[in-house]
Amino acid sequence: QVQVVESGGGLVQAGGSLRLSCTASGLTFDDYAMGWFRQAPGKEREVVSCINWSGTSTSYADSVNGRFTISRDNAKNTLYLQMNSLKPEDTAMYYCAAGYGGSCSYADYEYNYWGQGTQVTVSS
């Protein structure tokens, strides 16, 4: 059974940093591209960043480019999102997702498995 579990969320002041982690089990991790998505109250889910199976290709939403860094450790079946210079508008539930085939994608329908999310709240 595949499980995707996020951790590392919390409450932080504007300008601060957080590091999210996502551990996947029950699948061959390096067969999958990984993505981070977020959803704020009253808003649609949006892509934050994605990374290909090997970690050699990454992509970021304009709103986080230059502030967030996605990475993965295939030996540990773990995905990371380092978030720096956080802003109140980054407040959302953050979701990790795994997409078979290995290529980075912004389309949520390309992802097969999703975690339950971890809450990030940035105070002003």
Side-chain angles (χ1 to χ4, degrees), residues 5-56:
V5 181
E6 304 93 338
S7 62
L11 174 64
V12 64
Q13 288 190 330
S17 297
L18 282 174
R19 188 194 197 201
L20 305 185
S21 298
C22 168
T23 301
S25 60
L27 51 73
T28 303
F29 190 67
D30 56 9
D31 280 345
Y32 289 79
M34 299 297 294
W36 286 103
F37 293 77
R38 68 186 181 186
Q39 187 168 20
K43 295 188 177 181
E44 292 191 354
R45 185 169 61 193
E46 62 177 2
V47 66
V48 174
S49 182
C50 61
I51 188 168
N52 73 335
W53 70 275
S54 62
T56 56

Side-chain angles (χ1 to χ4, degrees), residues 4 10 26-27 29 40 54 67 73 78 81-82 84 99-100 123:
V4 177
L27 51 73
F29 190 67
S54 62
R67 300 187 297 121
D73 185 339
T78 302
L81 186 69
Q82 178 67 44
N84 299 328
Y100 186 75
S123 63

